[in-house]
Coordinates of all heavy atoms in Angstrom, one line a residue:
M1 N 18.2 6.8 9.6 CA 17.4 6.5 8.4 C 15.9 6.5 8.6 O 15.4 6.1 9.6 CB 17.9 5.2 7.8 CG 17.4 4.9 6.5 SD 18.3 3.6 5.5 CE 19.8 4.5 5.1
A2 N 15.2 7.0 7.6 CA 13.8 7.1 7.8 C 13.1 5.7 7.6 O 13.5 5.0 6.8 CB 13.2 8.0 6.6
R3 N 12.1 5.5 8.4 CA 11.3 4.3 8.4 C 9.9 4.6 8.2 O 9.4 5.5 8.8 CB 11.5 3.4 9.6 CG 12.9 2.8 9.7 CD 13.2 2.0 11.0 NE 12.2 1.2 11.5 CZ 12.1 -0.1 11.3 NH1 13.0 -0.7 10.6 NH2 11.1 -0.8 11.8
V4 N 9.2 3.9 7.3 CA 7.8 4.1 7.0 C 7.0 2.9 7.0 O 7.5 1.7 6.9 CB 7.7 4.7 5.6 CG1 8.4 6.2 5.6 CG2 8.3 3.9 4.5
R5 N 5.7 3.0 6.9 CA 4.7 1.8 6.7 C 3.5 2.4 6.1 O 3.2 3.6 6.2 CB 4.5 1.0 8.0 CG 3.6 1.7 8.9 CD 3.4 0.8 10.1 NE 2.5 1.4 11.1 CZ 1.3 1.2 11.3 NH1 0.7 0.2 10.6 NH2 0.7 1.8 12.2
A6 N 2.6 1.6 5.6 CA 1.4 2.0 5.0 C 0.5 2.4 6.1 O 0.5 1.9 7.2 CB 0.8 0.9 4.2
V7 N -0.3 3.4 5.9 CA -1.3 3.9 6.9 C -2.2 2.8 7.3 O -2.6 1.9 6.5 CB -2.0 5.2 6.3 CG1 -3.0 4.8 5.2 CG2 -2.8 5.9 7.4
A8 N -2.7 2.8 8.5 CA -3.6 1.7 9.0 C -5.0 2.2 9.0 O -5.9 1.5 9.3 CB -3.2 1.4 10.4
C9 N -5.3 3.5 8.5 CA -6.7 4.0 8.5 C -7.3 3.8 7.2 O -7.6 4.9 6.5 CB -6.7 5.5 8.9 SG -5.6 5.9 10.2
G10 N -7.5 2.6 6.7 CA -8.1 2.4 5.4 C -8.6 1.0 5.3 O -8.2 0.2 6.0
V11 N -9.3 0.9 4.2 CA -9.8 -0.5 4.0 C -9.6 -0.8 2.5 O -9.8 0.0 1.6 CB -11.3 -0.5 4.3 CG1 -12.0 -1.8 3.9 CG2 -11.6 -0.2 5.7
L12 N -9.2 -2.0 2.2 CA -9.1 -2.5 0.8 C -10.3 -3.4 0.5 O -10.7 -4.2 1.3 CB -7.8 -3.3 0.7 CG -6.5 -2.6 0.9 CD1 -5.4 -3.5 0.8 CD2 -6.4 -1.6 -0.4
F13 N -10.8 -3.2 -0.8 CA -11.9 -4.0 -1.2 C -11.9 -4.1 -2.7 O -11.3 -3.3 -3.4 CB -13.3 -3.5 -0.7 CG -13.7 -2.2 -1.3 CD1 -14.4 -2.2 -2.4 CD2 -13.3 -1.0 -0.7 CE1 -14.8 -0.8 -3.0 CE2 -13.7 0.2 -1.2 CZ -14.4 0.3 -2.3
W14 N -12.5 -5.2 -3.3 CA -12.6 -5.4 -4.7 C -13.9 -4.8 -5.2 O -14.9 -4.9 -4.6 CB -12.5 -6.9 -5.0 CG -11.2 -7.5 -4.7 CD1 -10.8 -8.2 -3.6 CD2 -10.1 -7.5 -5.5 NE1 -9.5 -8.7 -3.7 CE2 -9.1 -8.1 -4.8 CE3 -9.7 -6.8 -6.7 CZ2 -7.7 -8.3 -5.3 CZ3 -8.5 -7.0 -7.2 CH2 -7.5 -7.7 -6.6
D15 N -13.7 -4.1 -6.3 CA -14.9 -3.5 -7.0 C -14.8 -3.7 -8.4 O -13.9 -3.2 -9.1 CB -15.0 -2.0 -6.7 CG -16.2 -1.4 -7.3 OD1 -17.3 -2.0 -7.5 OD2 -16.2 -0.1 -7.5
E16 N -15.6 -4.6 -9.1 CA -15.5 -4.9 -10.5 C -14.1 -5.2 -11.0 O -13.6 -4.7 -12.0 CB -16.1 -3.7 -11.3 CG -17.5 -3.5 -11.0 CD -18.1 -2.3 -11.8 OE1 -17.4 -1.9 -12.8 OE2 -19.3 -1.9 -11.5
G17 N -13.4 -6.1 -10.2 CA -12.1 -6.5 -10.6 C -11.0 -5.6 -10.2 O -9.8 -5.9 -10.5
N18 N -11.2 -4.4 -9.6 CA -10.2 -3.5 -9.2 C -10.1 -3.5 -7.7 O -11.1 -3.5 -7.0 CB -10.6 -2.1 -9.7 CG -10.6 -2.0 -11.1 OD1 -9.7 -2.3 -11.8 ND2 -11.8 -1.4 -11.6
L19 N -8.9 -3.5 -7.3 CA -8.6 -3.3 -5.8 C -8.7 -1.9 -5.5 O -8.0 -1.1 -6.1 CB -7.2 -4.0 -5.4 CG -6.9 -4.0 -3.9 CD1 -7.9 -4.8 -3.1 CD2 -5.5 -4.5 -3.7
V20 N -9.5 -1.6 -4.5 CA -9.8 -0.1 -4.1 C -9.3 0.1 -2.7 O -9.6 -0.6 -1.8 CB -11.2 0.3 -4.3 CG1 -11.5 1.6 -3.9 CG2 -11.7 0.0 -5.7
W21 N -8.6 1.2 -2.5 CA -8.2 1.7 -1.2 C -9.2 2.7 -0.8 O -9.4 3.7 -1.5 CB -6.9 2.3 -1.2 CG -6.4 2.9 0.1 CD1 -6.5 4.2 0.4 CD2 -5.9 2.2 1.2 NE1 -6.0 4.4 1.7 CE2 -5.6 3.2 2.2 CE3 -5.6 0.9 1.4 CZ2 -5.1 2.8 3.4 CZ3 -5.0 0.6 2.6 CH2 -4.8 1.6 3.6
D22 N -9.9 2.5 0.2 CA -10.9 3.4 0.9 C -10.3 4.1 2.1 O -10.1 3.5 3.1 CB -12.2 2.7 1.3 CG -13.3 3.5 1.8 OD1 -13.1 4.8 1.7 OD2 -14.3 3.1 2.3
D23 N -9.9 5.4 1.8 CA -9.3 6.2 2.9 C -10.5 6.9 3.6 O -10.9 8.0 3.1 CB -8.3 7.2 2.2 CG -7.7 8.1 3.2 OD1 -8.2 8.3 4.4 OD2 -6.8 8.9 2.8
Y24 N -11.0 6.3 4.7 CA -12.1 6.8 5.3 C -11.9 8.0 6.1 O -12.8 8.8 6.5 CB -12.9 5.7 6.1 CG -12.1 5.0 7.1 CD1 -11.7 5.6 8.4 CD2 -11.5 3.7 6.8 CE1 -11.0 4.9 9.3 CE2 -10.8 3.1 7.7 CZ -10.5 3.7 8.9 OH -9.7 3.0 9.9
V25 N -10.6 8.4 6.4 CA -10.3 9.5 7.2 C -10.3 10.8 6.3 O -10.9 11.8 6.5 CB -8.8 9.5 7.7 CG1 -8.4 10.8 8.3 CG2 -8.7 8.3 8.8
R26 N -9.8 10.7 5.0 CA -9.9 11.7 4.0 C -11.1 11.7 3.1 O -11.2 12.4 2.2 CB -8.6 11.8 3.2 CG -7.4 12.2 4.1 CD -6.2 12.4 3.3 NE -5.0 12.8 4.1 CZ -3.9 12.7 3.8 NH1 -3.4 12.2 2.6 NH2 -2.8 13.1 4.6
Q27 N -11.9 10.6 3.3 CA -13.1 10.4 2.5 C -12.8 10.4 1.0 O -13.3 11.2 0.3 CB -14.1 11.3 2.8 CG -14.5 11.3 4.3 CD -15.6 12.3 4.7 OE1 -15.8 13.3 4.0 NE2 -16.2 12.0 5.8
R28 N -11.9 9.4 0.5 CA -11.6 9.3 -0.9 C -11.3 7.8 -1.1 O -11.0 7.1 -0.2 CB -10.5 10.1 -1.4 CG -9.2 9.8 -0.6 CD -8.0 10.7 -1.0 NE -6.9 10.3 -0.3 CZ -5.7 10.8 -0.5 NH1 -5.5 11.7 -1.5 NH2 -4.6 10.5 0.2
Q29 N -11.6 7.4 -2.4 CA -11.3 6.0 -2.7 C -10.4 6.0 -4.0 O -10.6 6.9 -4.9 CB -12.6 5.2 -3.1 CG -13.5 5.1 -1.9 CD -14.8 4.3 -2.3 OE1 -15.2 4.2 -3.4 NE2 -15.4 3.7 -1.2
L30 N -9.5 5.1 -4.0 CA -8.5 5.1 -5.0 C -8.3 3.7 -5.6 O -8.1 2.8 -4.8 CB -7.1 5.5 -4.6 CG -7.0 6.9 -3.9 CD1 -5.7 7.1 -3.1 CD2 -7.2 8.0 -4.9
A31 N -8.5 3.5 -6.9 CA -8.3 2.2 -7.5 C -6.7 2.0 -7.6 O -5.9 2.9 -8.0 CB -8.8 2.1 -8.9
L32 N -6.2 0.8 -7.2 CA -4.8 0.5 -7.0 C -4.3 -0.2 -8.3 O -5.0 -1.1 -8.8 CB -4.5 -0.2 -5.8 CG -4.9 0.4 -4.5 CD1 -4.5 -0.5 -3.3 CD2 -4.2 1.8 -4.3
T33 N -3.1 0.1 -8.8 CA -2.5 -0.6 -9.8 C -1.8 -1.8 -9.2 O -1.6 -1.8 -8.0 CB -1.5 0.3 -10.6 OG1 -0.4 0.6 -9.6 CG2 -2.1 1.5 -11.2
E34 N -1.3 -2.8 -10.1 CA -0.6 -3.9 -9.5 C 0.7 -3.4 -8.8 O 1.0 -4.0 -7.7 CB -0.2 -4.9 -10.6 CG -1.4 -5.7 -11.1 CD -1.1 -6.7 -12.0 OE1 0.1 -7.3 -12.0 OE2 -1.8 -7.0 -13.0
D35 N 1.4 -2.4 -9.3 CA 2.6 -1.9 -8.7 C 2.3 -1.3 -7.3 O 3.0 -1.5 -6.4 CB 3.3 -0.9 -9.6 CG 3.9 -1.5 -10.8 OD1 4.2 -2.7 -10.8 OD2 4.1 -0.8 -11.8
S36 N 1.2 -0.5 -7.2 CA 0.9 0.1 -6.0 C 0.4 -1.0 -5.0 O 0.7 -0.8 -3.7 CB -0.2 1.2 -6.1 OG -1.3 0.7 -6.7
Q37 N -0.2 -2.0 -5.3 CA -0.6 -3.1 -4.4 C 0.7 -3.7 -3.8 O 0.8 -4.0 -2.7 CB -1.4 -4.2 -5.2 CG -2.7 -3.7 -5.7 CD -3.4 -4.8 -6.6 OE1 -3.3 -6.0 -6.2 NE2 -4.0 -4.4 -7.6
E38 N 1.7 -3.9 -4.7 CA 2.9 -4.5 -4.3 C 3.6 -3.7 -3.2 O 4.1 -4.1 -2.2 CB 3.8 -4.8 -5.5 CG 5.1 -5.4 -5.2 CD 5.0 -6.9 -5.1 OE1 4.1 -7.5 -5.6 OE2 5.9 -7.5 -4.5
V39 N 3.7 -2.4 -3.5 CA 4.3 -1.4 -2.5 C 3.5 -1.3 -1.2 O 4.1 -1.4 -0.1 CB 4.4 0.0 -3.2 CG1 4.8 1.1 -2.1 CG2 5.3 0.0 -4.4
L40 N 2.2 -1.4 -1.2 CA 1.4 -1.3 0.0 C 1.6 -2.6 0.8 O 1.8 -2.6 2.0 CB 0.0 -1.2 -0.3 CG -0.6 0.2 -0.6 CD1 -2.1 0.2 -0.9 CD2 -0.3 1.1 0.6
R41 N 1.7 -3.7 0.1 CA 2.0 -5.0 0.8 C 3.4 -4.9 1.4 O 3.5 -5.5 2.6 CB 1.9 -6.2 -0.1 CG 0.4 -6.5 -0.5 CD 0.3 -7.8 -1.3 NE -1.1 -8.0 -1.6 CZ -1.6 -7.8 -2.9 NH1 -0.8 -7.4 -3.9 NH2 -2.9 -8.1 -3.1
W42 N 4.3 -4.4 0.8 CA 5.7 -4.3 1.3 C 5.8 -3.5 2.5 O 6.4 -3.8 3.6 CB 6.6 -3.8 0.2 CG 8.1 -3.7 0.6 CD1 8.7 -2.6 0.8 CD2 9.0 -4.8 0.9 NE1 10.0 -2.8 1.2 CE2 10.2 -4.2 1.3 CE3 8.9 -6.2 0.9 CZ2 11.3 -4.9 1.6 CZ3 10.0 -6.9 1.3 CH2 11.1 -6.3 1.6
F43 N 5.1 -2.4 2.5 CA 5.1 -1.5 3.6 C 4.1 -1.7 4.7 O 3.7 -0.9 5.5 CB 5.0 0.0 3.1 CG 6.3 0.5 2.5 CD1 6.4 0.8 1.1 CD2 7.4 0.8 3.3 CE1 7.5 1.2 0.6 CE2 8.6 1.1 2.8 CZ 8.7 1.4 1.4
A44 N 3.4 -2.9 4.6 CA 2.5 -3.3 5.7 C 3.2 -3.4 7.0 O 2.6 -3.4 8.1 CB 1.8 -4.6 5.3
Q45 N 4.6 -3.7 7.0 CA 5.4 -3.7 8.1 C 6.4 -2.5 8.1 O 6.6 -2.0 7.0 CB 6.2 -5.0 8.1 CG 5.3 -6.2 8.2 CD 6.1 -7.4 8.2 OE1 7.3 -7.5 8.6 NE2 5.5 -8.6 7.7
W46 N 7.0 -2.1 9.1 CA 8.0 -1.0 9.2 C 9.2 -1.5 8.3 O 9.7 -2.5 8.4 CB 8.4 -0.8 10.6 CG 7.4 0.0 11.4 CD1 6.6 -0.6 12.3 CD2 7.1 1.3 11.2 NE1 5.8 0.4 12.8 CE2 6.1 1.6 12.2 CE3 7.6 2.4 10.5 CZ2 5.5 2.9 12.4 CZ3 7.0 3.7 10.7 CH2 6.0 3.9 11.6
R47 N 9.5 -0.6 7.4 CA 10.7 -0.8 6.4 C 11.5 0.4 6.3 O 11.0 1.5 6.5 CB 10.1 -1.2 5.0 CG 9.1 -2.4 5.0 CD 9.8 -3.7 5.0 NE 8.8 -4.8 4.9 CZ 9.1 -6.0 4.8 NH1 10.4 -6.3 4.8 NH2 8.2 -6.9 4.7
E48 N 12.7 0.3 5.8 CA 13.5 1.5 5.4 C 12.9 2.1 4.2 O 12.4 1.3 3.3 CB 14.9 1.0 5.2 CG 15.7 0.4 6.4 CD 15.8 1.4 7.6 OE1 15.9 2.6 7.3 OE2 15.8 1.1 8.7
L49 N 12.9 3.4 4.1 CA 12.2 4.1 3.0 C 12.7 3.6 1.6 O 11.9 3.4 0.8 CB 12.4 5.6 3.1 CG 11.7 6.4 2.1 CD1 10.3 6.2 2.1 CD2 12.0 7.9 2.4
G50 N 14.0 3.5 1.5 CA 14.5 3.0 0.1 C 14.4 1.5 -0.1 O 14.8 1.0 -1.3
S51 N 13.9 0.7 0.7 CA 13.9 -0.7 0.6 C 12.9 -1.2 -0.6 O 13.2 -2.3 -1.1 CB 13.4 -1.4 1.9 OG 12.1 -1.2 2.2
A52 N 11.9 -0.5 -0.9 CA 11.0 -0.9 -1.9 C 11.7 -0.8 -3.3 O 11.5 -1.6 -4.2 CB 9.7 -0.1 -1.9
R53 N 12.6 0.1 -3.4 CA 13.3 0.3 -4.7 C 14.2 -0.9 -5.0 O 14.4 -1.2 -6.1 CB 14.1 1.6 -4.6 CG 14.7 2.1 -5.8 CD 15.4 3.4 -5.5 NE 15.5 3.7 -4.1 CZ 15.4 4.9 -3.6 NH1 15.5 6.0 -4.4 NH2 15.5 5.2 -2.3
N54 N 14.7 -1.5 -4.0 CA 15.7 -2.6 -4.2 C 15.0 -4.0 -4.1 O 15.7 -4.9 -4.2 CB 16.8 -2.5 -3.1 CG 17.5 -1.2 -3.2 OD1 17.7 -0.6 -4.2 ND2 17.9 -0.7 -2.0
R55 N 13.8 -4.0 -3.9 CA 13.0 -5.2 -3.7 C 12.7 -5.9 -5.1 O 12.3 -5.2 -6.0 CB 11.7 -4.9 -3.0 CG 10.9 -6.2 -2.5 CD 9.8 -5.9 -1.7 NE 9.1 -7.1 -1.3 CZ 8.2 -7.6 -2.1 NH1 8.0 -7.1 -3.3 NH2 7.6 -8.7 -1.8

Side-chain angles (χ1 to χ4, degrees):
M1 188 163 289
R3 289 174 44 96
V4 296
R5 74 176 178 108
V7 67
C9 316
V11 176
L12 292 170
F13 65 92
W14 291 100
D15 183 30
E16 297 182 10
N18 295 309
L19 185 59
V20 177
W21 175 263
D22 182 9
D23 178 349
Y24 54 82
V25 173
R26 294 185 177 162
Q27 299 180 341
R28 61 183 178 171
Q29 294 181 343
L30 307 165
L32 302 180
T33 64
E34 286 186 33
D35 289 340
S36 58
Q37 293 174 42
E38 182 82 18
V39 170
L40 279 176
R41 286 186 182 106
W42 180 249
F43 284 112
Q45 298 178 26
W46 286 101
R47 307 279 186 175
E48 296 297 330
L49 182 56
S51 67
R53 190 177 4 213
N54 302 324
R55 188 170 178 282

